[in-house]
Structures are given as structure tokens and as C-alpha cells.
Amino acid sequence: MRLSPIALLLLAVAAGPVPADEDADRIERANLLRKLLEDAPPLRAGAADPRAELPAARMEREQQNAAEQLQVERFQDGQWRQLLESQRASAHRQEVAPSVPRSALAFEREQQARDLSIQIQRQDLDYRQNNRR
């Protein structure tokens, strides 16, 4: 019966530490470990082995990634703020542009009031003339 190197490793871990009383046991364990390491699949060139990485290096990388993510989020937030401000400004400009100045509105009201007054006076004059006849 032949066991795979992974099964041997699991068996060794499950059995716990075994003291090596003889040199032959040490040599056998060294050979098994060498065989296990040689049979392990090779790492990809771009991928870092997380087991071989120091915790401080991992924390430094995570802090750098967090700082970069924060910069990206701030930039996106700034872009949204600029967009909202430009929309708000353009909406305000659109409301103000079509409106007529107050002086023009006042003049228009005065003109309408005069026209109405003239119309009432004419009707009154016509009514008085019709009553005399």
C-alpha cells in the first residue's frame, strides 16, 4: 500500500511529535520531508505564498491597499460633489434666466391697470350716453 505525501503529512500531524531515538528515524523523516517538498506543486510566478509571508509585511500591504482604496473613494466622492454642484448651479441659472426683472413686471401691471381704467371709463361714458337718450 502506497500513501501520498499529503496523507503522510496528515498522518504525521495527527500522530503528534514523535521523539527520534535513532539516527535512522531522523534520516527517514528528512527524506520524507524532502520528498513532500519536491512533490508539492510549484507556485505561480505572480502569486505570493501567504504562508511564506511575514505578518508585518502582510499588514503593511493591507495598509497600503486601504490607503489607496480611501484615495479612490475620496476622488469618487469629489467627482459626485462636483457633479451635484454643477447640476444645482445649472438648475438655479435656468430658474433665474427666464424670469423678467421686477421693474418690467411693475410696468406691465401699471399698463394693465391703466387699460382697465380706460375700459371702465369708456363703458361708464357709454352707459351715461345711452341713459340720456
Side-chain angles (χ1 to χ4, degrees):
M1 178 168 114
R2 178 163 172 117
L3 295 175
S4 69
I6 295 175
L8 288 174
L9 179 63
L10 289 175
L11 183 63
V13 169
V18 178
D21 293 331
E22 299 177 15
D23 291 333
D25 289 339
R26 290 184 186 155
I27 293 171
E28 184 179 351
R29 275 194 258 149
N31 287 335
L32 287 174
L33 181 61
R34 185 179 306 119
K35 184 176 179 184
L36 180 66
L37 291 175
E38 288 173 356
D39 292 345
L43 291 175
R44 286 176 272 161
D49 185 11
R51 295 169 294 171
E53 189 175 41
L54 294 175
R58 186 177 320 120
M59 286 176 51
E60 184 179 317
R61 186 171 30 94
E62 288 171 358
Q63 287 176 348
Q64 185 179 7
N65 290 343
E68 289 174 0
Q69 183 66 25
L70 181 62
Q71 281 183 326
V72 167
E73 288 175 6
R74 283 183 179 167
F75 176 74
Q76 290 173 345
D77 185 49
Q79 293 294 318
W80 274 109
R81 288 176 188 267
Q82 286 179 354
L83 177 64
L84 289 175
E85 285 180 25
S86 67
Q87 287 177 349
R88 191 177 305 144
S90 66
H92 180 67
R93 273 187 258 128
Q94 289 173 356
E95 289 175 6
V96 173
S99 68
V100 181
R102 285 185 176 216
S103 60
L105 289 176
F107 177 75
E108 229 176 272
R109 286 185 194 139
E110 288 177 14
Q111 187 67 33
Q112 288 175 352
R114 281 188 210 129
D115 291 344
L116 183 60
S117 177
I118 292 171
Q119 185 181 4
I120 291 172
Q121 287 176 355
R122 283 184 185 160
Q123 288 176 354
D124 185 52
L125 184 62
D126 288 342
Y127 178 77
R128 286 183 185 182
Q129 287 178 354
N130 286 338
N131 280 342
R132 288 186 186 166
R133 292 183 192 167

